[in-house]
Amino acid sequence: MVNNMIIPIVLSCTMAYFAVRWIYFKILKVAIEKNLVDNPEGRKMQKQPVPVVGGLAVFLGVLTGIMTATAYHHTFCPETESTNLLPIICAMSVMIYIGALDDILGLTPMARFAIEIASIVALVFGTGICIDTFHGLWGIENIAWWVAVPLTVFAGVGIINSINMIDGVNGLSSGLCMTCCIVFGAAFVIANDMANAILAFTMAVALLPFFLRNVFGMKSRMFIGDAGTMVMGIMITWFVMSMLSKNSLVAYNSSSHNVNLIAFSLAVLSVPIFDTLRVMSMRMANGGSPFMPDKTHLHHVFVNVGISHIITSISEILIGLLIVAIWYASFLLGSSFEVQLYVVIASSMLLVWGTFAFLRYHAKNHTEFLHWLSHTSERTQLGRKDWWKSYSQWLDRPISYAYTDSADDPKLAKSAVARDKFNPYQPAKRQVLTIDVSRNLVMTYIKGKAEVHVKDLIAYSGAEEKHVSVIIREESKSGRIRVLKHNDNGDPAIIASFDCY
């Protein structure tokens, strides 16, 4: 049976990849023309407007891949089990539509919750699949439908919003989702669940072209937006539903191996779930709304100590994979269902919550460790490396096709110029900067960082060196900057912004 999956999975993934590559720059062009961008304000980390409809490109890739796999299946393998994914494709279509509306117009949290709940309920009653058994955990087997349906809705809404809430740095939500899809896809392949295996690997590959440009691109960068995160969220919800239902092929094939699928699913989703639980609990403990955006996510504290976006994303993905590895080790050691779950919860609290607490403590107290880390973290800013710049320029090359008619369209011409202006990979023009320009460069450089070494500020901010000491002195008097440490000559060595958190 596994051999029968190889060809449809490969075909689906191939078509998904090329479909996303084909549509990507066309969607980018429309987004720029219609000003469908995320602007750099408030808690946002980017320093320029970025198109926010990347999820549309990814979804087309998924649809194209699934259509290809279905056509192959019905043409060449009509005798095998059908790869019917219509219910989840319909649910994903609703999510992409609502997410796009939220990206463009903005929706209230209650409206989003209502639509998410309705979509999950329709998915449950349209397929008969829900979280209706604990597979023997705590002695619980079958769960009555009037408990199973609310439990499934609660879990699904939590997963969708946890995926949405971690979408804060380049490559994080898409990278985590790619990882989850590959892990879940492997489980579905082992269990001979062809339909879900095709969907999982197709989504992983459809995300790849987007992920590369989201991380490495400059002019070609797009954010995945709420449309993308909601699609990823409902898809992962479906995987969890499929895995934890009474009719689960994964459960059937693992029943004799003492595999706790609840612990496994929680381990795969440990980073978004436990980070969201901590963030919402902190907000409510401080008397605020659990849905009010802030800068207290795990990725915020990574960036706060100076670590780059890509290293932040890689770090969180590795934390998730480590928790999966810890769960797997507990399974190999013959742990009971209960122990496997407790191991996942304990390791998630330690690695997700513990990492946040550790970095936040040093950031707030400006310890010697932070002094070392904030300087060392400059090496993680890979965007300054020649190989990174070359790859970014190669990824951005098709941008010329997106702007072929910019000379005839003032909107496109203006947008193209605006995006080129923010490209740091263009050759620098030697010019004397005014102190006001240098001041803006200094304040932009220290934005969101717990502290900055002055020598790094001089080297990387772009401000005139002769202006830096004057700016620090003036901004210290105005209360926008504070000096944390002086060097032996009495000059400022480490500084911080008062609004760094």
Side-chain angles (χ1 to χ4, degrees):
M1 183 65 178
V2 172
N3 291 334
N4 294 336
M5 294 187 192
I6 295 176
I7 294 178
I9 288 176
V10 170
L11 285 175
S12 180
C13 291
T14 302
M15 291 301 296
Y17 178 81
F18 285 105
V20 176
R21 286 198 59 181
W22 174 77
I23 199 66
Y24 187 92
F25 285 97
K26 293 174 174 57
I27 290 178
L28 176 64
K29 176 181 177 179
V30 173
I32 294 173
E33 179 182 5
K34 302 301 182 182
N35 197 35
L36 306 178
V37 298
D38 190 27
N39 291 302
E41 55 189 56
R43 63 187 181 87
K44 305 296 177 61
M45 291 188 176
Q46 77 270 20
K47 297 179 175 63
Q48 65 187 75
V50 179
V52 72
V53 288
L56 299 179
V58 174
F59 188 58
L60 176 69
V62 174
L63 290 180
T64 304
I66 296 301
M67 288 170 58
T68 303
T70 302
Y72 171 86
H73 177 272
H74 286 290
T75 302
F76 297 102
C77 308
E79 73 284 355
T80 60
E81 183 182 353
S82 174
T83 56
N84 179 24
L85 289 169
L86 180 60
I88 181 57
I89 293 298
C90 290
M92 292 168 69
S93 300
V94 173
M95 291 296 103
I96 197 77
Y97 188 86
I98 297 305
L101 282 179
D102 197 18
D103 288 328
I104 298 170
L105 302 176
L107 299 176
T108 64
M110 293 309 298
R112 284 184 42 165
F113 275 124
I115 296 168
E116 290 166 6
I117 291 170
S119 299
I120 296 171
V121 170
L123 194 57
V124 168
F125 285 100
T127 63
I129 293 175
C130 63
I131 304 174
D132 53 7
T133 177
F134 277 9
H135 301 290
L137 177 67
W138 298 314
I140 301 173
E141 289 290 348
N142 297 335
I143 302 175
W145 70 268
W146 55 271
V147 176
V149 173
L151 176 62
T152 303
V153 170
F154 177 79
V157 170
I159 290 171
I160 294 171
N161 286 280
S162 66
I163 297 294
N164 178 262
M165 292 174 71
I166 62 165
D167 184 33
V169 297
N170 297 331
L172 180 54
S173 63
S174 55
L176 275 171
C177 187
M178 288 169 64
T179 305
C180 292
C181 286
I182 292 171
V183 176
F184 279 129
F188 291 131
V189 167
I190 294 171
N192 294 324
D193 188 344
M194 179 185 291
N196 282 321
I198 290 173
L199 178 59
F201 286 111
T202 301
M203 173 59 88
V205 174
L207 282 166
L208 181 59
F210 166 83
F211 174 83
L212 293 176
R213 287 178 172 83
N214 181 243
V215 172
F216 296 97
M218 179 52 61
K219 292 185 292 182
S220 62
R221 176 176 296 160
M222 278 199 290
F223 290 163
I224 201 161
D226 288 341
T229 57
M230 292 180 74
V231 165
M232 293 188 294
I234 194 70
M235 181 199 62
I236 292 176
T237 297
W238 169 252
F239 291 158
V240 173
M241 290 168 56
S242 299
M243 194 166 290
L244 301 182
S245 72
K246 287 186 290 189
N247 299 321
S248 167
L249 289 175
V250 179
Y252 175 79
N253 285 274
S254 63
S255 59
S256 61
H257 300 291
N258 198 43
V259 176
N260 185 341
L261 294 178
I262 295 176
F264 168 71
S265 301
L266 185 60
V268 174
L269 297 170
S270 55
V271 171
I273 287 177
F274 278 84
D275 190 43
T276 299
L277 286 173
R278 180 193 53 76
V279 168
M280 297 182 76
S281 298
M282 288 178 60
R283 291 172 181 171
M284 289 187 291
N286 293 327
S289 167
F291 310 111
M292 183 62 64
D294 56 23
K295 300 178 70 173
T296 59
H297 283 281
L298 180 58
H299 58 262
H300 287 121
V301 77
F302 270 107
V303 174
N304 188 232
V305 298
I307 297 174
S308 66
H309 282 210
I310 182 58
I311 301 301
T312 296
S313 298
I314 291 174
S315 298
E316 295 201 31
I317 291 170
L318 290 177
I319 288 173
L321 289 175
L322 179 57
I323 293 170
V324 173
I326 292 172
W327 163 80
Y328 187 62
S330 72
F331 158 71
L332 291 178
L333 292 173
S335 301
S336 66
F337 274 25
E338 290 77 12
V339 170
Q340 289 180 43
L341 179 61
Y342 301 150
V343 165
V344 170
I345 293 174
S347 58
S348 299
M349 293 172 64
L350 176 64
L351 292 173
V352 179
W353 296 357
T355 300
F356 176 87
F358 176 80
L359 294 177
R360 184 68 179 269
Y361 169 81
H362 289 284
K364 291 186 69 173
N365 293 280
H366 296 282
T367 62
E368 288 298 323
F369 173 77
L370 180 67
H371 296 338
W372 170 83
L373 182 62
S374 61
H375 179 58
T376 304
S377 294
E378 284 296 331
R379 300 174 187 174
T380 73
Q381 308 297 325
L382 301 178
R384 304 187 185 108
K385 304 294 184 181
D386 290 338
W387 65 266
W388 183 292
K389 296 177 183 178
S390 298
Y391 186 54
S392 293
Q393 291 172 337
W394 181 80
L395 284 176
D396 289 344
R397 276 191 308 176
I399 203 75
S400 59
Y401 298 104
Y403 301 126
T404 51
D405 57 347
S406 60
D408 301 322
D409 191 330
K411 290 183 179 179
L412 284 179
K414 183 177 180 181
S415 299
V417 170
R419 289 178 67 78
D420 283 337
K421 183 175 67 174
F422 287 106
N423 186 2
Y425 307 137
Q426 296 292 334
K429 296 181 180 180
R430 298 296 300 173
Q431 57 180 326
V432 178
L433 303 179
T434 66
I435 191 169
D436 288 334
V437 173
S438 291
R439 191 186 311 277
N440 288 333
L441 291 171
V442 167
M443 300 308 295
T444 299
Y445 182 81
I446 67 176
K447 177 184 178 182
K449 297 180 180 178
E451 64 180 40
V452 170
H453 289 246
V454 174
K455 59 183 179 182
D456 293 331
L457 177 66
I458 294 172
Y460 302 120
S461 68
E464 291 279 356
E465 182 176 356
K466 64 182 180 181
H467 293 156
V468 170
S469 59
V470 176
I471 293 169
I472 292 174
R473 184 170 61 251
E474 292 178 353
E475 296 300 328
S476 296
K477 291 181 179 179
S478 68
R480 297 178 67 192
I481 286 178
R482 54 177 170 156
V483 178
L484 302 174
K485 190 174 182 180
H486 294 81
N487 58 26
D488 295 337
N489 298 327
D491 296 327
I494 302 176
I495 63 173
S497 169
F498 275 102
D499 59 354
C500 64
Y501 236 112

